[in-house]
Amino acid sequence: MKILVLSDSHGDTSACLQAVRLTAPELIVHLGDYDSDCEAISKQFEIPIKAVKGNCDLRSNRSDEAEFEVAGKRFFITYGHPYGVKTSLARVTLAARQKGADVLLFGHTHNSCYDIIDEMVLVNPGSIGGYRTQTGEKTYAVLEIKNGAVLCEIKSL
């Protein structure tokens, strides 16, 4: 199972579409800040999308967080601002553990990270829109679930 993880697109739908073309995912996860960019993706690709709203998605009807299972792995996704991810990952990690998550996906910091803490995979794909990143790079994450393992690669456009 190949999963494309996007966050902080901030209206850069061309970058989102390019990441989809390069990745050919079976599932797309958008973590917020312009969750409306999911509509542009849906118009061009028939790929399921899981999405939550970010702090800039004021008119969104989406939830702040979501849980789902894919290929035997439990996911907890959130933009991250309600958990203060810009200062610490302690609260969001605790929430993910309480929900029994194998994988925690979050955004908001605009900087990518990938870590494994006590067997839980934590991923922030960075900003696919390249907005307010330390390097100006447009980044995204590709997760692959193979033989029960979750593999992650952070990529740049």
Side-chain angles (χ1 to χ4, degrees), residues 41-107:
I41 297 169
S42 293
K43 287 180 183 176
Q44 295 216 11
F45 299 96
E46 292 186 21
I47 301 169
I49 300 175
K50 304 276 188 186
V52 292
K53 67 180 176 181
N55 64 322
C56 291
D57 296 318
L58 302 176
R59 293 189 174 104
S60 175
N61 292 327
R62 296 189 198 274
S63 176
D64 288 328
E65 56 190 50
E67 302 169 56
F68 57 91
E69 192 169 306
V70 174
K73 296 295 178 182
R74 185 139 184 82
F75 284 71
F76 174 60
I77 65 173
T78 179
Y79 185 61
H81 65 293
Y83 295 98
V85 297
K86 283 189 176 181
T87 56
S88 170
L89 298 182
R91 289 175 48 212
V92 73
T93 303
L94 177 61
R97 284 188 207 293
Q98 289 173 337
K99 295 172 186 301
D102 300 302
V103 181
L104 165 61
L105 304 177
F106 65 97

Side-chain angles (χ1 to χ4, degrees), residues 117-135:
I117 299 175
D118 296 328
E119 299 183 23
M120 183 170 59
V121 175
L122 285 77
V123 177
N124 182 329
S127 174
I128 188 65
Y131 180 74
R132 290 187 180 172
T133 63
Q134 291 174 348
T135 63

Side-chain angles (χ1 to χ4, degrees), residues 20-31:
V20 174
R21 284 186 203 98
L22 290 170
T23 306
E26 297 166 79
L27 174 67
I28 298 168
V29 176
H30 192 287
L31 299 170

